[in-house]
Amino acid sequence: MDHLVASKQRSRRNLHPQRVFSLLEKNWLGAPIQFTWQKASGNYLAVTGADHIVKIFDRHGQKRSEINLSGNCVAMDWDKDGDILAVVAEKSSCIYLWDANTNKTSQLDSGMRDQMSFLIWSKIGSFLAVGTVKGNLLIYNRQTSRKIPVLGKHTKRITCGCWSKENLLALGGEDKIITVSNQEGDTIRQSPLKSEPGNMQFSMMRSDDRTSTAESTISVVLGKKTLFLFNLNEPYNSVDLEFKQSYGNIVCYSWYGDGYIMVGFSYGIFVVISTHIREIGLEIFQARDYKDNLTSIAISQTLNKAATCGDNCIKIHDLAELKDMYAIINLDDEIKGLSTLSWTDDGQLLALSTQRGSLHVFLTKLPILGDACSTRIAYLTSLLEVTVANPVEGELPITVSVDVEPNFVAVGLYHLAVGMNNRAWFYVLGENGVKKLKDVEYLGTVASVCLHSDYAAALFEGKVQLHLIESELLDTQEERETRLFPAVDDKCRILCHALTGDFLIYGTDTGVIQYFYIENWQFVNDYRHPVGVKRIFPDPNGTTLVFIDEKCDGFVYCPVNDATYEIPDFSPTIKGVLWENWPLDKGVFIAYDDDKAYTYVFHRNTIQGSRVILADDTKIPFSHKPLLLYNGELTCQTQSGQINNVYLDTHSFLNNLKDLGPDELRQMLTQTLVLKRFSDAWELCMILNDHDAWNELGRDCLHHMDVEFAIRVYRAIGDVGMVMSLEQIKGIEDNNLLAGHLAMFTNDFNLAQDLYLASSCPVAALEMRRDLQHWDSALQLAKRLAPDQIPLISKEYAIQLEFTGDYVNALAHYEKGITGENKEHDELCLAGVAQMSIRMGDIRRGVNQALKHPSRVLKRDCGAILENMKQYSEAAQLYEKGLYYDKAASVYIRYKNWAKVGELLPHVSSPKIYLQYAKAKEADGRYKEAVVAYENAKQWNSVIRIYLDHLNNPERAVSIVRETQSLDGAKMVARFFLQLGDYGSAIQFLVMSKCNNEAFTLAQQHNKMEIYADIIGSENTTNEDYQSIALYFEGEKRHFQAGKFFLLCGQYSRALKHFLKCPSSENNAAIEMAIETVGQAKDELLTSQLIDHLMGESDGMPKDAKYLFRLYMALKQYREAARTAIIIAREEQSAGNYRNAHDLLFSMYAELKSQKIKIPSEMATNLMILHSYILVKIHVKKGDHMKGARLLIRVAKNISKFPSHVVPILTSTVIECHRAGLKNSAFRFAAILMRPEHRNRIDAKYKKKIEAMVRRPDTSEAEEVTTPCPFCKFLLPECELLCPGCKNNIPYCIATGRHMLRDDWTVCPHCDFPALYSEFKIMLNTESTCPMCSERLNFAQLKMISDCTQYLQTEVEP
C-alpha cells in the first residue's frame, strides 16, 4: 500500500544515529589510535594513542580505568566473554591483562625475549595466541595458566592471524607463509603465499551441502590487491580473487550471511562477492559510496547492517537491500579524514576513529522500551533519555533525563516510571516541566510496572505490589497506600498484570483472572481459565480485555457477562495487543508480532451474539514496536529512538478517495463494514452510487442491530417495505425479540426462531413460520404456543401437500382443518376433502361432496380430475352442474353422447366443439346442420365445400370466399367455375388462391389474358408473372400491353421498345408510359431514344412539347424542364391560353423552388405578367378600376407577349384607365390603337369613344402612390417592381400585383408566394382560392409575418 511505503520512507529519514559521545585527540596525545569494544556485552571501550596508556571507557563515555604501558600499544583484544582485555606493548615482554569484573590489571610474563607483534583470543575457549617479530608463537591458556611457547612457527614477524570455531589457529607473517595450528601449537598445515598477508579471517564458503558447519576456509588479503581463499580440506582448490585496478587497494573486508564477502577499496568502492562454487568471485553488488576514498567497513550481523566510512562521512546500508541507504552520518569537522569503524556485538553502538586521533561513538540501536497510557506514550530516545509525548492531543514532547540505563519504562496520566533490577524512579509530569518524585525499591527484580492516575503496580517474582505514587498528596487510609498480591495463602504465581482507572487486573499461572476494584479496595470479579494466563490487555475502560494463555491462544473476556470469545487465526508469535483509543471505534484492537499487525474487531451486539473477527493484517516495518493505536494510525517506536506512524490497511478508506476506481471503493466499503464504521460506509456508498453497495450497508446495519441507521440506508435507496418494517420494530426493548426480527429480515430463519423462542414473545416464531409457509414447523410450534391456530395451519399445510402430490397427508390435514364454526374456512377444507377423495380413488364420496358444495370452481376442478382419470360420465355431470358447458360438451363428445351435445350447443362458445359436432352431422348427411356448425367453428373451407358439393349454393360460397380471402376456398370455387366453363371467374379465383401459373395457363388456353392481366395487376404479383404476361402480349403483337407488363417487371428497354411501336390510336397513352419507363430506368441510352422519338428523329413527326417537358420532369432534370416549360407557356400564351400558360409556369416555379434551384428570370417575368393579367379580371369584377388599370398598364407594356389579343387588351387598358381617371395613360394607349394595323380591329362600340380621346386629348393624371422598398426603404410607385435605389427586384403581391411592404407581409400557406396582408385579406372576403396556386383558402389561415428577411433572399437568377 502507498501509505505503508510512505511510512517506511519516513522511517528511514528518521533513523539518524545519535552521537553518544566523542573523545578528542588530546586524551592520548594525537594519532594514530587503536580501539576495541568489549565482546558480548559491549559495556566497555578500550582506546589507546601515542601516550602509552590504554584508557577504558563505559558506553556513556565515562572513563572507568586505564592501563599504563611501557611503550606504544602493539595489539589488544578482548576474550570471547568480554571479561579480560589483553594488551601487548613496545619495549615489553609481558602481556597486560585487565579484568572487567574486578577493574584490576595484571601482567603476564611471556617468557619471550623478542618483541611481541600480534595477539588474539580464541572464539570458543580461554586461549590467547601471541606472535613475535621473529616469528615465534606463545599460546596461553588462561583457565589452566599454561603457557606453550612455539619457536620458529614463522621465520619473520607474525602480522596477522585468527582462530576458528574448531579452535584452530591460522597465522600469517612477513615470510609469506600461512600456518594452521591446533590449540597446542602443533602445525597442521602450511602453505606459501605470493605476497605478504594481512587481515586473516576464518569462515565457511557457501555450498549446496549444508551438513557440515565447520569453518574450513581461511581468507587473507595478499599485497593489498588480492583476496586469497585457502581451503583447509582441499588446499589445491584454493582461490585467488583479483579485482579491477580502478577499484584501488583492498582496505578491508568482512564475511556475512550465507558465504558472502563485502570488500572495501581505497578509491571509495565496495563490492559484494559470493563464495558459492558456481558463483565464486562473481560481483553480486557494487557501489561507489565515496568520491575520494574508503577507509573502513564494519558489519553488524545483529542489525543486518553494514557501515562504511570515507570522505568525512559514514554510510549505513541494509544488508537485505544494499541499494537502500539506511543512514548517513556527516562529520564535517574531521578534515583529515576517517580511519576505522567497529560495532558492538549487539549492534547498539558504532565507534569511529579518525586520522587526527579523535574517537566518536554513535547510537545505532536502542533497546525498544516504551509504554502508553490512554493517548500518552513514553519511549526511550537515548540510553539515558526518555521522551513523553501525546501525539493525539498535539502536546509538545517532553524529554526526561534518567540516571540509569532502564530495563523498563511505564507511563501514567501524570507520572513516568523507569527502572532496572528491583528499583524504579518516579517522575511527575507537570505543566511546568518534569520533576523527579522518588525512587522505590521492590522485594525482587521488577519484570514490569503499570501506572494510571494515582496508583502504580509492579510485577516481580510472581507477585504484584499496588501502591500510591504520591502518598503524601492524598488523604487516604494507611491500608489503601499499598497492597501485595496474591494473598499469602494463595499459592499461585502472577504472570501478568494491568492497571486501569478503576481496576487492577492480573492473570496467574493457574488460569485465574482477578479484577481488584481500587475504589472499594476489594476483588469484584474472577474468571478461571483452564491453563495459565501469561498476558492481559484491557481496553481503555477495563470492561473488555484480551488475554493470551500459556498455549499462545488468544481470547476476548467480558467481565460483565463473564463470557470469553476465542480470537480466530491468532498467531503463536504475537508479542502484544493494542486497543483502539479513538472513542468511536470501540471493539477494535490489533495483535502484533515482529512482522505484522493483525486487526481484530470485537462485535459485541449482533443478531448472532458477540464474536471476534479478523479484519486484515498490515505489514510492520523492520524493528518497529507498536505503542499506540488511534483511528487506524499505529504509532511505533523504532530502534533509533524515534516514533513512526504506520497506517493500518483496514483503514485505507481514511485516505483521499477522489481518484479511486469502483473496485478499490468496494474494497474500502468492506473494510468500513467490518469495522462497523457506518458513517464512513455511507460516504463511500454516496460516491459509488451503486444499489448493491447500499444493500450491503443495510444488511450490515441489520446484522449489528443498528435499526436507526438501517432505516436511514433503506430510505435512501427507496426500499419502502424494509423502512416500514424497521419503523415498526425500532422501539422494541427485548433484545432477543429485536434480534429475531432482524434475523428474519436477513433470511436466517432458524436463528430467528431460536431468538423468538428465547424472547418475551415466543408466538412470533409461529407467525414467522406461517408467513414462510413452513407448515411442519408451524404445526409443532402451534401445539406448544397456540392450539387454536392448528385448523388454519392444517388447511394451509394441506394445500402445500396437495401441490407436492402428497394426497394422503393432504386429505388428513384437510379433515383436521374442519372446525364446524368458520363457514368460509370449512368450505375450503371440504373442497379439499372432495378433491383429495377423488384423487385417492373414493370417487363417489368426492363427487357427492362436490355436488353439495356451492362452489362452481370446485365442480370444474373435480371434473378435470375425473376427466384425467377417464371417468367421463361423472366429469361431464360436474361440468354441467358447474355451468361449464364447453367442457361438458367436450366430455360428452368423447363418449359419443351427441344428444347431450345437441342440448348444450346453444350454451357452447368453443369452435372446437362446433367442429366436432359439424363433422358428426356431416357424416350423418345432415348438411344444413353441419354447415351452421362449421360456420360457428369458423371452418370456412368446410363451409364452402358443403355449399358447393352438397347444397348447390355457389353464390354463398363465392360470397364467403370474398369475405374470408380463403386460399383453399378460392381453389374450390375456381374448380367449380372451371367445371361450368366460366373461365373468367375460374381465373379470378385461381389468382385469389395464389395459383398464378394455373390461371395463366387457363387464360392462355382460352384467350382470356386481358382478364388475367386486369386481375393480376391489382394483386401482390411477382416479376415472373408480369414477364409471362408481357411475353404473351409480345407474341400477340399487342405492344401497349406488352410494354406495360415489361415495365412492371423492370425490363425497361423492352418496355420502351414496345411503347414506341404502338399504333397512332394509342400514341398519347404510349408516350406517357414511355416517359414513365425512362423516368424509372434512369438510363441515358433509353432517354436519348425517347428524346429522338419525341423530336421526330425516327418518323419525321415531332411530338407535342408537353411530352418533352414531362420527360424532363420524370428524369428530375429540372433546368431542362424549366426551359421546355417556358417554350410551352410561350406557345400557350401565343394561342391565347393564358391560364394554362400561368399554371404551367407556376408548377415549374414551385418544383424548381423545392429542389432549391434558381428560377430562370424569363420564367419569373412571364409568370409575373401572366399573373397580373389574371388579377385584372378579379379586380374589375369587384369594381376596383384603379387596381385593374395599373395591372393592365403593366400588361400593355408587354403586349408583345399576347399576340392573339393585342387589340382587346389595349382596348381594355384604355377603358379601365379612363374609368380610373388615368387620362394620360388612356390617351397614350388609345393613340397606339389608332395605328393603322390596329384601327380596323377595334370593337365598334368602343371605336368612336377611343377616336374622340385621341382627337381631344386630356393628359391630366394623378401621380401613382409611392411606398417604401422593403430592401432599402426608397420610396417608389407601388406597382413598380424594380427599385431605383438598390437595383433589387422586389417581390410582388399575388393579390394586387404591387411590390411588397415589410410591415404588411404574409404568404399563401400552400404555395408560399408573398402577398400584402391587408389586401389579401380583403380579396379573400369575395374569393375562396389563392389566385396563384388556386388552392382553397380563407383569411383565417393567413398569418402576419413580422420578419420577412428570408423571403427577400432572391430565388431568381440574375
Side-chain angles (χ1 to χ4, degrees):
M1 297 292 288
D2 291 342
H3 59 264
L4 182 58
V5 173
S7 74
K8 286 184 178 178
Q9 290 170 346
R10 286 197 300 276
S11 170
R12 292 192 185 109
R13 284 199 296 272
N14 292 335
L15 289 176
H16 189 80
Q18 303 172 14
R19 189 182 302 200
V20 180
F21 62 89
S22 293
L23 302 172
L24 301 181
E25 61 273 17
K26 63 185 180 182
N27 287 299
W28 32 74
L29 303 178
I33 65 168
Q34 300 175 55
F35 69 92
T36 179
W37 283 107
Q38 180 187 26
K39 289 177 185 170
S41 63
N43 285 329
Y44 294 109
L45 175 66
V47 190
T48 183
D51 57 352
H52 302 178
I53 300 172
V54 175
K55 296 178 180 175
I56 298 167
F57 298 88
D58 66 13
R59 58 198 284 129
H60 307 296
Q62 301 298 316
K63 189 171 79 172
R64 295 300 182 190
S65 186
E66 61 181 37
I67 306 168
N68 291 306
L69 307 178
S70 59
N72 284 334
C73 175
V74 173
M76 56 182 174
D77 191 28
W78 293 88
D79 72 348
K80 68 178 180 65
D81 298 318
D83 293 333
I84 303 295
L85 172 68
V87 184
V88 292
E90 294 176 346
K91 303 174 186 176
S92 173
S93 61
C94 69
I95 303 167
Y96 298 89
L97 300 175
W98 181 76
D99 191 324
N101 297 318
T102 62
N103 195 14
K104 291 183 180 178
T105 306
S106 60
Q107 294 185 14
L108 172 69
D109 186 5
S110 65
M112 298 285 192
R113 294 183 180 179
D114 48 337
Q115 178 65 46
M116 287 171 283
S117 61
F118 169 80
L119 69 77
I120 190 166
W121 284 96
S122 167
K123 289 180 182 178
I124 60 168
S126 56
F127 295 91
L128 175 66
V130 183
T132 71
V133 295
K134 292 184 179 179
N136 298 319
L137 173 67
L138 171 69
I139 296 177
Y140 168 62
N141 186 338
R142 183 174 171 275
Q143 193 171 356
T144 61
S145 300
R146 180 187 175 199
K147 291 186 283 189
I148 305 173
V150 182
L151 301 177
K153 177 63 74 172
H154 285 258
T155 58
K156 293 184 180 179
R157 173 193 287 264
I158 295 174
T159 57
C160 59
C162 58
W163 288 91
S164 75
K165 290 178 181 176
E166 289 74 39
N167 231 22
L168 297 178
L169 175 65
L171 296 170
E174 292 177 352
D175 56 0
K176 301 179 183 177
I177 291 174
I178 185 170
T179 62
V180 180
S181 312
N182 61 18
Q183 64 192 35
E184 300 296 324
D186 302 328
T187 301
I188 297 171
R189 196 178 300 283
Q190 76 177 39
S191 175
L193 303 170
K194 292 190 293 186
S195 300
E196 190 175 316
N199 198 349
M200 187 177 291
Q201 298 178 30
F202 257 110
S203 191
M204 182 173 64
M205 285 177 64
R206 187 176 169 209
S207 66
D208 294 329
D209 180 17
R210 302 301 173 96
T211 54
S212 171
T213 57
E215 292 182 328
S216 59
T217 301
I218 300 171
S219 58
V220 62
V221 177
L222 302 180
K224 298 184 179 180
K225 295 291 185 184
T226 304
L227 185 62
F228 178 60
L229 303 179
F230 179 67
N231 193 324
L232 283 178
N233 300 329
E234 302 173 14
Y236 301 106
N237 283 342
S238 299
V239 180
D240 269 324
L241 298 176
E242 295 186 358
F243 300 92
K244 297 176 184 176
Q245 292 293 324
S246 59
Y247 290 176
N249 292 335
I250 296 174
V251 175
C252 53
Y253 73 92
S254 182
W255 290 77
Y256 76 93
D258 187 12
Y260 294 102
I261 306 175
M262 182 181 287
V263 187
F265 297 91
S266 59
Y267 289 170
I269 293 169
F270 77 87
V271 299
V272 175
I273 60 174
S274 170
T275 59
H276 193 282
I277 195 65
R278 289 197 296 271
E279 304 173 329
I280 194 134
L282 181 67
E283 291 186 12
I284 303 298
F285 180 79
Q286 184 254 14
R288 187 181 189 97
D289 258 10
Y290 305 100
K291 181 181 176 184
D292 296 330
N293 68 339
L294 180 149
T295 58
S296 181
I297 284 178
I299 287 180
S300 170
Q301 302 277 16
T302 308
L303 289 182
N304 205 36
K305 301 282 187 294
T308 64
C309 66
D311 289 358
N312 295 350
C313 73
I314 301 170
K315 295 183 179 179
I316 301 176
H317 294 263
D318 193 325
L319 289 177
E321 192 60 61
L322 286 164
K323 293 196 297 293
D324 288 353
M325 194 72 71
Y326 178 77
I328 299 176
I329 307 169
N330 290 305
L331 297 115
D332 297 333
D333 52 341
E334 296 294 344
I335 54 176
K336 290 187 179 180
L338 311 181
S339 183
T340 307
L341 284 171
S342 178
W343 240 309
T344 57
D345 286 355
D346 60 8
Q348 284 191 11
L349 299 173
L350 175 66
L352 166 71
S353 64
T354 69
Q355 299 286 357
R356 71 173 183 176
S358 58
L359 184 94
H360 305 284
V361 176
F362 298 93
L363 182 65
T364 52
K365 176 192 170 187
L366 263 177
I368 301 182
L369 291 177
D371 188 32
C373 179
S374 184
T375 56
R376 172 167 284 160
I377 58 173
Y379 54 97
L380 197 65
T381 46
S382 186
L383 293 175
L384 298 173
E385 180 183 279
V386 175
T387 297
V388 180
N390 193 332
V392 174
E393 301 293 336
E395 296 176 8
L396 291 173
I398 303 169
T399 302
V400 182
S401 296
V402 297
D403 298 335
V404 295
E405 243 184 87
N407 289 339
F408 59 84
V409 172
V411 69
L413 295 179
Y414 315 111
H415 304 91
L416 169 71
V418 298
M420 63 181 294
N421 299 331
N422 67 333
R423 291 186 68 185
W425 286 263
F426 288 87
Y427 299 83
V428 178
L429 306 173
E431 293 182 0
N432 301 322
V434 180
K435 177 184 171 187
K436 189 173 179 182
L437 182 64
K438 63 179 179 180
D439 65 289
V440 177
E441 282 197 28
Y442 296 100
L443 301 175
T445 302
V446 175
S448 63
V449 171
C450 296
L451 308 182
H452 209 267
S453 55
D454 301 323
Y455 282 88
L459 171 65
F460 53 87
E461 298 177 1
K463 295 180 174 59
V464 167
Q465 182 175 345
L466 176 67
H467 64 88
L468 279 168
I469 302 171
E470 301 181 59
S471 55
E472 66 277 3
L473 297 179
L474 291 172
D475 184 17
T476 57
Q477 301 169 10
E478 188 175 338
E479 64 173 20
R480 285 175 174 259
E481 284 192 14
T482 184
R483 178 164 174 172
L484 192 65
F485 302 90
V488 178
D489 54 346
D490 197 341
K491 302 302 180 187
C492 65
R493 281 178 56 82
I494 297 175
L495 301 181
C496 53
H497 77 303
L499 194 61
T500 70
D502 298 314
F503 303 104
L504 166 69
I505 311 164
Y506 62 81
T508 70
D509 59 347
T510 58
V512 176
I513 297 176
Q514 290 275 16
Y515 272 72
F516 181 78
Y517 189 31
I518 296 172
E519 185 175 334
N520 291 348
W521 208 250
Q522 64 183 16
F523 289 103
V524 292
N525 191 74
D526 64 350
Y527 167 74
R528 298 186 180 277
H529 191 64
V531 296
V533 176
K534 65 178 185 179
R535 302 289 300 278
I536 58 172
F537 307 93
D539 71 354
N541 299 323
T543 55
T544 311
L545 67 78
V546 173
F547 68 87
I548 305 173
D549 64 15
E550 289 183 332
K551 292 182 178 178
C552 296
D553 293 329
F555 298 87
V556 172
Y557 171 60
C558 292
V560 176
N561 57 1
D562 210 36
T564 57
Y565 309 94
E566 186 170 1
I567 301 174
D569 302 317
F570 196 77
S571 171
T573 60
I574 293 298
K575 297 289 180 65
V577 170
L578 288 179
W579 285 89
E580 174 65 78
N581 280 278
W582 194 52
L584 300 181
D585 243 359
K586 293 178 180 176
V588 177
F589 62 90
I590 63 147
Y592 60 87
D593 57 17
D594 291 336
D595 301 319
K596 289 182 180 179
Y598 302 89
T599 306
Y600 289 95
V601 189
F602 176 50
H603 290 154
R604 191 183 299 272
N605 291 319
T606 73
I607 57 177
Q608 295 171 339
S610 302
R611 60 178 185 157
V612 183
I613 61 165
L614 172 62
D616 201 356
D617 57 64
T618 303
K619 178 79 176 162
I620 297 179
F622 176 72
S623 194
H624 278 48
K625 178 195 174 186
L627 287 179
L628 172 68
L629 177 62
Y630 189 86
N631 197 19
E633 188 175 359
L634 195 59
T635 303
C636 299
Q637 184 182 0
T638 69
Q639 275 187 351
S640 62
Q642 306 286 332
I643 59 170
N644 185 31
N645 293 333
V646 175
Y647 295 93
L648 297 179
D649 290 348
T650 48
H651 291 65
S652 60
F653 56 87
L654 297 172
N655 298 337
N656 191 347
L657 306 176
K658 281 185 180 176
D659 302 324
L660 298 178
D663 292 340
E664 291 95 334
L665 290 172
R666 285 193 183 87
Q667 190 175 353
M668 289 180 179
L669 176 62
T670 304
Q671 293 174 357
T672 58
L673 296 179
V674 168
L675 296 172
K676 200 182 167 185
R677 293 180 68 146
F678 295 144
S679 296
D680 294 304
W682 177 279
E683 296 300 324
L684 286 166
C685 287
M686 294 285 284
I687 298 170
L688 276 168
N689 195 22
D690 177 60
H691 195 267
D692 291 341
W694 285 108
N695 272 321
E696 192 175 351
L697 173 55
R699 282 195 299 273
D700 259 63
C701 292
L702 298 180
H703 177 75
H704 291 286
M705 300 174 65
D706 191 340
V707 178
E708 290 287 353
F709 208 97
I711 290 171
R712 184 181 165 198
V713 172
Y714 284 114
R715 186 172 285 135
I717 59 176
D719 191 339
V720 179
M722 186 62 87
V723 171
M724 291 178 67
S725 300
L726 292 171
E727 287 283 359
Q728 290 173 357
I729 66 168
K730 72 177 181 182
I732 294 174
E733 295 182 1
D734 185 333
N735 206 50
N736 284 329
L737 182 59
L738 178 62
H741 287 312
L742 296 174
M744 179 177 68
F745 294 163
T746 57
N747 298 330
D748 193 344
F749 304 120
N750 291 334
L751 175 62
Q753 178 173 316
D754 294 341
L755 290 166
Y756 282 141
L757 292 175
S759 75
S760 59
C761 183
V763 76
L766 171 60
E767 292 169 0
M768 177 191 73
R769 290 298 183 185
R770 280 194 62 182
D771 293 340
L772 293 170
Q773 298 185 355
H774 297 170
W775 306 114
D776 213 0
S777 303
L779 276 174
Q780 298 300 321
L781 291 169
K783 288 175 184 175
R784 288 167 46 197
L785 304 171
D788 57 314
Q789 297 285 317
I790 291 175
L792 300 174
I793 295 170
S794 293
K795 179 202 74 177
E796 300 292 349
Y797 194 14
I799 292 170
Q800 185 180 0
L801 291 169
E802 179 184 355
F803 182 73
T804 58
D806 187 353
Y807 303 127
V808 175
N809 288 319
L811 177 60
H813 280 92
Y814 274 129
E815 289 171 340
K816 281 182 189 175
I818 298 169
T819 62
E821 298 171 359
N822 188 334
K823 182 181 177 184
E824 186 178 347
H825 169 79
D826 287 352
E827 282 181 358
L828 287 171
C829 291
L830 289 168
V833 169
Q835 288 175 299
M836 294 308 102
S837 298
I838 292 171
R839 290 190 182 280
M840 296 297 298
D842 192 350
I843 293 171
R844 181 176 295 177
R845 180 190 179 192
V847 170
N848 289 336
Q849 195 78 50
L851 288 170
K852 285 190 291 183
H853 203 281
S855 171
R856 283 181 64 222
V857 176
L858 175 63
K859 295 178 177 65
R860 182 199 64 192
D861 294 343
C862 289
I865 297 168
L866 288 164
E867 189 178 354
N868 288 334
M869 295 170 67
K870 298 186 179 178
Q871 301 295 319
Y872 299 124
S873 175
E874 291 83 354
Q877 182 186 2
L878 285 173
Y879 281 140
E880 192 174 349
K881 287 288 185 184
L883 308 182
Y884 293 97
Y885 297 116
D886 285 11
K887 290 182 175 293
S890 175
V891 175
Y892 281 131
I893 286 170
R894 292 179 76 169
Y895 71 99
K896 310 298 184 195
N897 190 342
W898 298 110
K900 271 289 190 183
V901 175
E903 289 176 22
L904 296 177
L905 269 185
H907 307 291
V908 169
S909 59
S910 169
K912 287 174 68 177
I913 306 297
Y914 281 108
L915 179 60
Q916 290 172 301
Y917 185 71
K919 287 179 179 177
K921 290 300 176 185
E922 185 182 357
D924 290 346
R926 301 170 70 174
Y927 299 115
K928 287 187 179 180
E929 293 178 37
V931 84
V932 172
Y934 275 130
E935 284 182 6
N936 287 327
K938 306 286 190 278
Q939 294 293 314
W940 303 115
N941 292 342
S942 298
V943 172
I944 293 164
R945 177 174 52 77
I946 291 179
Y947 274 128
L948 291 176
D949 295 349
H950 300 294
L951 297 179
N952 198 23
N953 190 349
E955 293 82 3
R956 180 63 182 147
V958 168
S959 171
I960 291 169
V961 168
R962 292 193 190 283
E963 287 173 14
T964 63
Q965 294 291 308
S966 167
L967 298 184
D968 291 335
K971 281 184 188 177
M972 285 189 279
V973 172
R975 205 176 300 120
F976 179 80
F977 282 119
L978 194 58
Q979 290 169 356
L980 294 178
D982 186 350
Y983 301 116
S985 299
I987 289 168
Q988 181 183 355
F989 285 100
L990 281 172
V991 170
M992 192 184 293
S993 66
K994 309 295 184 192
C995 297
N996 291 2
N997 291 338
E998 292 89 332
F1000 178 78
T1001 305
L1002 189 62
Q1004 215 172 11
Q1005 288 172 352
H1006 299 284
N1007 200 20
K1008 299 287 185 182
M1009 192 58 71
E1010 291 86 350
I1011 296 171
Y1012 176 66
D1014 288 341
I1015 294 166
I1016 206 166
S1018 60
E1019 301 286 331
N1020 295 326
T1021 311
T1022 62
N1023 284 343
E1024 288 80 1
D1025 291 330
Y1026 287 134
Q1027 186 175 353
S1028 301
I1029 298 169
L1031 291 171
Y1032 172 79
F1033 283 124
E1034 185 179 44
E1036 294 288 319
K1037 302 286 194 242
R1038 296 168 66 176
H1039 299 296
F1040 185 81
Q1041 296 290 348
K1044 178 182 173 184
F1045 285 97
F1046 276 129
L1047 172 61
L1048 287 171
C1049 68
Q1051 297 188 23
Y1052 303 116
S1053 176
R1054 295 176 76 174
L1056 181 62
K1057 183 179 75 172
H1058 283 286
F1059 285 134
L1060 297 183
K1061 284 183 181 180
C1062 286
S1064 55
S1065 59
E1066 298 176 347
N1067 201 25
N1068 290 348
I1071 290 174
E1072 293 284 358
M1073 293 300 289
I1075 290 170
E1076 185 179 342
T1077 302
V1078 170
Q1080 288 184 25
K1082 295 181 176 58
D1083 185 316
E1084 289 184 9
L1085 181 61
L1086 298 183
T1087 305
S1088 63
Q1089 283 180 25
L1090 181 55
I1091 291 172
D1092 289 346
H1093 180 75
L1094 293 175
M1095 303 299 284
E1097 296 289 334
S1098 54
D1099 55 3
M1101 293 173 61
K1103 309 300 182 290
D1104 194 331
K1106 68 180 181 183
Y1107 295 123
L1108 194 59
F1109 168 71
R1110 286 176 189 160
L1111 172 62
Y1112 285 134
M1113 289 296 288
L1115 294 172
K1116 298 185 179 178
Q1117 296 180 5
Y1118 299 110
R1119 292 185 186 279
E1120 290 79 358
R1123 285 196 289 271
T1124 309
I1126 293 168
I1127 294 166
I1128 296 169
R1130 200 179 296 141
E1131 290 176 359
E1132 292 281 359
Q1133 208 168 331
S1134 298
N1137 299 325
Y1138 305 123
R1139 187 75 213 189
N1140 290 349
H1142 174 277
D1143 290 347
L1144 177 63
L1145 288 175
F1146 166 72
S1147 64
M1148 195 65 238
Y1149 192 108
E1151 189 65 42
L1152 291 174
K1153 190 175 173 183
S1154 69
Q1155 299 299 323
K1156 294 184 171 53
I1157 297 171
K1158 291 279 187 181
I1159 314 297
S1161 59
E1162 184 181 356
M1163 175 184 285
T1165 303
N1166 288 352
L1167 179 60
M1168 181 270 293
I1169 293 166
L1170 284 167
H1171 189 67
S1172 299
Y1173 181 71
I1174 286 167
L1175 285 177
V1176 169
K1177 293 180 181 178
I1178 297 171
H1179 290 300
V1180 170
K1181 185 174 72 173
K1182 284 167 50 183
D1184 192 342
H1185 299 292
M1186 179 58 79
K1187 287 192 182 82
R1190 291 293 181 193
L1191 290 168
L1192 281 169
I1193 290 169
R1194 182 185 289 164
V1195 173
K1197 285 179 181 177
N1198 294 278
I1199 196 64
S1200 61
K1201 296 186 184 294
F1202 301 87
S1204 301
H1205 296 84
V1206 173
V1207 173
I1209 292 172
L1210 288 174
T1211 303
S1212 299
T1213 306
V1214 171
I1215 292 166
E1216 287 302 312
C1217 287
H1218 185 73
R1219 286 176 180 170
L1222 303 177
K1223 309 291 186 179
N1224 189 34
S1225 297
F1227 167 72
R1228 191 153 39 89
F1229 291 112
I1232 295 170
L1233 276 174
M1234 286 296 106
R1235 289 176 186 170
E1237 65 267 25
H1238 301 314
R1239 178 179 288 185
N1240 295 329
R1241 292 163 56 196
I1242 300 172
D1243 191 334
K1245 62 182 176 181
Y1246 299 120
K1247 191 170 185 181
K1248 285 182 181 180
K1249 193 173 184 179
I1250 292 170
E1251 284 174 350
M1253 285 183 196
V1254 174
R1255 286 196 189 101
R1256 292 183 296 279
D1258 182 355
T1259 56
S1260 62
E1261 183 172 316
E1263 292 246 346
E1264 188 176 351
V1265 178
T1266 59
T1267 52
C1269 167
F1271 289 100
C1272 65
K1273 299 186 179 177
F1274 181 85
L1275 290 174
L1276 70 158
E1278 60 186 1
C1279 287
E1280 184 62 50
L1281 300 181
L1282 179 63
C1283 175
C1286 60
K1287 307 301 182 193
N1288 275 318
N1289 280 310
I1290 307 172
Y1292 57 90
C1293 168
I1294 58 171
T1296 64
R1298 297 172 183 171
H1299 70 244
M1300 291 297 296
L1301 300 175
R1302 266 186 178 272
D1303 54 359
D1304 194 19
W1305 200 295
T1306 189
V1307 293
C1308 170
H1310 301 297
C1311 63
D1312 209 34
F1313 269 78
L1316 294 168
Y1317 179 76
S1318 56
E1319 295 291 345
F1320 205 4
K1321 197 170 179 183
I1322 293 167
M1323 174 183 276
L1324 289 175
N1325 286 330
T1326 56
E1327 301 293 322
S1328 60
T1329 60
C1330 169
M1332 178 62 79
C1333 62
S1334 302
E1335 293 287 341
R1336 293 194 69 80
L1337 190 63
N1338 61 64
F1339 65 81
Q1341 294 174 261
L1342 296 183
K1343 292 181 182 175
M1344 174 75 91
I1345 293 171
S1346 57
D1347 183 9
C1348 60
T1349 308
Q1350 60 171 318
Y1351 297 101
L1352 293 175
Q1353 294 170 1
T1354 181
E1355 299 168 342
V1356 180
E1357 290 178 348

